[in-house]
């Protein structure tokens, strides 16, 4: 049990944990303490001195409340509780003095600074600033630093709080930032004037309390009070980071993180934060129909009529449906119901060919989930990564593993697959299936590490499951988890790490081949062989559409990417910021994305397009609004109704039903993500992501040389 102490804050008694800082204790008592360098998730620096308070019985001077713990307080006379004061004349004068020093060299940039309106220094200057300056000398100027395509620097504004340095070193795990020189010459620098090589650099903007580090793509676009703010869910990976989408009119202008301790804490990855410019480029804003070999604009009536006529004229067994990585659960449910009504068993959501979801014995969704949960990774003391590079596939999961590695000094991490810089130390066990087979049979040293661990974790990536032997790999990983004691009543250490936001929801809804139905790649082969005549493509772009051969392709999506270019009919859908939808993350956590703005032109919500089409072909779906659709969806997959919850399956996990027995191929495991910045149509439409990809690819080549 945590030790507690009784203290008094501004003459009010309160019992707090003894390991809290004085700043945290004061805030627990309801007193707001100003700060610049202190951050709850970073180490204590004690640089700015803005958090000064008075401690009765202590030294006759203010105390930095961020740098002293409650356990260090001395009791008063006769054992009276220690007393803290946050509003005495001494405290007020000390804070005013600190503020005056901070503003000595700070430029008068507020009218043109992008931090204006959201600036900690601006806010505290109102409370503790003077109405004039006593400093008559010239202000200091600092050269701007190059930090890559995402961060704009005006380092003259910097107050040397070192939050950015501590974030880069502790959370992101890169040593690209540091403080050089001393006194008046101190400045934050990237040393070699190069981009900060991390997928979490955008968070440096959030932790900066002044306007020294701001968003380069967002620069001079808007002021915060102009923007309409909508809380939603990110779809750039399968983590489901909570985000806030800031829009003006029909245009998204920035994306910021929202605190969620169970998923992304208060950080988001760079692709999630900066992909917003891709939402307005290469958009499909009107229907198209191919005539004489060319796609020409059409009305909704014409596009739906052409689509309906084709679907009605073809035998049901020659129709197939594909669901893409960003498809919301509602659209997947509607498309599945439409294909079922037509009578075709050919449908699949696994466009990478991953061998998951094909169940024996009725099935258990835990066979394809990240069962441990992202937050619970902090309890792990042995982690095995199989065929995954979490830094590229799920940066927030990787950040959580790094946090575990930093805080739990005894944690052992092993990797089977490609050797990459994951921002933490690990033991490279081998490249592929041979190593996994040895572990699963208990023949390798790391098996003992897993078996002796209190909370072992095994994470299987899509890179290992999308191979032809993916089912055997999954079975071997599950067998290993069972042998190593990773699956117990109180702990499930078997995890599948997805990289597609819509995949788990589609698997939950059973958007998979029916009896005698064809899988994704079998559909492609059948289309090439003219055995499939019509393919309904719901936003699948991560494959070569030429493989669809001469099939009639109906493409429904938001962007003019690979799938749209080879379509015969294009039905323009909404992007993730333009429709209300449910997405299920890799943990199996259902979360609600909200519409921040309306789709462009004549584009419509995905489920509504499919509902309208069903009416045209005489197979009207039994729901007319989102509420009715979701009720039907929850009947199919009750887990989708448990919003923001994970777990719920109490019976023991049957490992024997996971994957399939068979021989594994000797080829090494390769990560499913080749270029972190260009993994989906929205990212590929973004100039910012293209620039990041070019910079990071160049940096990787330079490092290799």
């Amino acid at each position: 049990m945590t030790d507690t102490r009784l203290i008094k804050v501004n003459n009010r008694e309160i019992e707090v944990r003894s390991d809290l800082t004085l700043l945290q204790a004061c805030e627990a008592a309801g007193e707001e303490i100003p700060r610049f360098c202190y951050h709850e998730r970073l180490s204590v620096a004690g640089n700015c001195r803005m958090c000064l308070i008075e401690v009765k019985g202590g030294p006759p001077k203010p105390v930095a409340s961020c740098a002293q713990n409650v356990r260090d307080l001395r009791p008063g006379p006769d054992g009276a509780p220690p007393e803290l004061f946050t509003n005495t004349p001494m405290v007020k004068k000390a804070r005013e003095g600190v503020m005056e020093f901070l503003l000595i060299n700070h430029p008068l940039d507020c009218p043109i600074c992008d931090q204006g309106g959201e600036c900690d220094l601006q806010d505290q200057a109102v409370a503790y600033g003077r109405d004039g300056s006593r400093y008559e000398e010239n202000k200091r100027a600092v050269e701007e630093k190059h930090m890559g395509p995402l961060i704009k620097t005006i380092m003259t504004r910097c107050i040397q709080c070192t939050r950015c340095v501590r974030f880069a070193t502790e959370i992101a795990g890169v040593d690209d930032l540091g403080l050089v020189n001393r006194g008046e010459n101190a400045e934050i620098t990237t040393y070699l004037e190069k981009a900060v090589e991390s997928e979490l650099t955008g968070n440096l903007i959030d932790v900066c309390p002044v306007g020294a580090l701001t968003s380069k793509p967002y620069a001079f676009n808007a002021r915060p009070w102009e923007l309409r703010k909508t809380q939603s869910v990110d779809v750039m990976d399968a983590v489901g980071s909570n985000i806030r989408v800031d829009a003006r009119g029909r245009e998204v202008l920035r994306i910021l993180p929202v605190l969620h301790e169970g998923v992304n804490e208060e950080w988001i990855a760079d692709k999630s934060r900066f992909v917003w410019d891709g939402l307005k480029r290469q958009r499909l804003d009107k229907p198209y129909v191919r005539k004489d070999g060319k796609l020409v604009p059409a009305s909704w009536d014409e596009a739906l009529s052409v689509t309906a006529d084709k679907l009605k004229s073809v035998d049901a067994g020659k129709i197939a449906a594909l669901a893409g990585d960003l498809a919301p659960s509602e659209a997947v449910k509607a498309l599945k119901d439409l294909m079922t009504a037509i009578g075709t068993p050919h449908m699949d959501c696994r466009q990478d060919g991953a061998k998951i979801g094909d169940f024996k014995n009725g099935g258990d969704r835990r066979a394809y989930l990240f069962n441990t949960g992202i937050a619970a990774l902090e309890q792990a003391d042995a982690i095995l990564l199989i065929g995954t590079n979490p830094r590229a596939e799920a940066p927030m999961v990787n950040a959580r593993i790094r946090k575990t590695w930093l805080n739990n000094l005894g944690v052992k991490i092993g990797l089977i697959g490609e050797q990459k810089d994951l921002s933490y130390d690990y033991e490279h066990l081998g490249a592929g299936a041979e190593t996994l087979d040895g572990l699963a049979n208990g023949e390798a040293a790391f098996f003992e590490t897993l078996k002796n661990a209190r909370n072992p974790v095994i994470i299987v990536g899509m890179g290992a499951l999308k191979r032809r032997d993916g089912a055997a790999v999954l079975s071997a990983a599950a067998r290993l988890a069972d042998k190593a004691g990773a699956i117990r009543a109180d702990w499930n250490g078997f995890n599948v790490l997805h990289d597609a936001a819509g995949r788990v929801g589609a698997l939950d809804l059973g958007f998979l081949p029916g009896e005698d139905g064809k899988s994704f790649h079998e559909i492609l082969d059948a289309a090439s062989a003219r055995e499939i005549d019509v393919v309904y493509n719901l936003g699948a772009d991560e494959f070569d559409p030429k493989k669809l051969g001469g099939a009639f392709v109906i493409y429904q999506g938001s962007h003019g990417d690979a799938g749209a270019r080879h379509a015969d009919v294009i039905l323009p859908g909404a992007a993730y910021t333009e429709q209300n939808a449910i997405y299920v993350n890799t943990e199996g956590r259902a979360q609600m994305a909200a519409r921040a703005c309306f789709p462009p032109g004549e584009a419509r919500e995905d489920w509504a397009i499919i509902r309208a089409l069903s009416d045209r072909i005489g197979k009207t779906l039994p729901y007319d609004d989102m509420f009715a659709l979701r009720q039907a969806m929850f009947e199919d997959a009750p887990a989708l109704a448990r919003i923001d919850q994970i777990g719920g399956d109490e019976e023991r996990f049957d490992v024997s039903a996971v994957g399939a027995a068979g021989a594994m191929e000797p080829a090494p495991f390769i990560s499913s993500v080749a270029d972190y910045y260009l993994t989906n149509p929205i990212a590929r439409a973004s100039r910012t992501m293209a620039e990041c990809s070019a910079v990071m690819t160049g940096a990787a080549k330079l490092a290799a040389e």
Side-chain angles (χ1 to χ4, degrees), residues 106-107 140 154-161 187-188 210-212:
H106 199 77
R140 179 183 88 141
I154 301 185
M155 302 310 291
T156 302
R157 299 172 185 163
C158 179
I159 59 172
Q160 287 86 47
C161 70
E187 56 184 89
I188 304 291
V210 294

Side-chain angles (χ1 to χ4, degrees), residues 79-143:
E83 294 192 53
L84 312 179
F85 298 95
T86 68
N87 53 12
T88 61
M90 177 203 286
V91 171
K92 187 172 185 295
K93 183 178 180 182
R95 291 177 183 171
E96 287 174 350
V98 170
M99 178 59 67
E100 187 173 10
F101 274 113
L102 287 175
L103 294 178
I104 278 175
N105 282 313
H106 199 77
L108 298 173
D109 278 353
C110 297
I112 59 160
C113 177
D114 267 324
Q115 198 82 356
E118 299 171 318
C119 176
D120 294 349
L121 185 64
Q122 203 175 48
D123 294 343
Q124 297 304 332
V126 172
Y128 299 104
R130 297 170 59 93
D131 59 354
S133 174
R134 294 184 285 177
Y135 189 73
E136 297 178 355
E137 288 79 3
N138 292 329
K139 286 182 179 284
R140 179 183 88 141
V142 182
E143 287 185 8

Side-chain angles (χ1 to χ4, degrees), residues 183-201:
E184 187 183 28
N185 297 318
E187 56 184 89
I188 304 291
T189 179
T190 53
Y191 301 124
L192 301 176
E193 291 290 314
K194 68 182 184 68
V196 180
E197 293 176 23
S198 172
E199 60 292 329
L200 302 176
T201 55

Side-chain angles (χ1 to χ4, degrees), residues 357-364 367 471 474-475 478 653-661:
D358 293 326
F359 293 121
K360 295 180 289 186
N361 308 326
D364 186 329
L474 187 63
S475 177
F653 182 31
D654 182 11
V655 182
S656 65
V658 177

Side-chain angles (χ1 to χ4, degrees), residues 238 323-325 327-329 332-333 336 347-359 362-370 462 465 474 496-513 584-586 588 636-640:
D325 291 347
S329 300
V332 171
K333 165 65 175 168
K336 182 193 174 189
M347 61 183 95
D348 204 347
C349 62
R350 303 163 299 181
Q351 61 176 320
D352 55 5
K355 307 301 186 291
I356 46 175
D358 293 326
F359 293 121
D364 186 329
R365 71 193 295 254
R366 288 174 289 184
Y368 55 79
L369 293 185
F370 199 93
M462 287 298 111
L465 302 182
L474 187 63
V496 174
L497 181 60
H498 291 269
D499 54 19
R503 180 70 55 81
V504 176
L507 291 172
D508 284 345
L509 289 165
F511 197 88
L512 295 163
V584 187
N585 79 346
T586 190
D636 272 12
L640 271 65

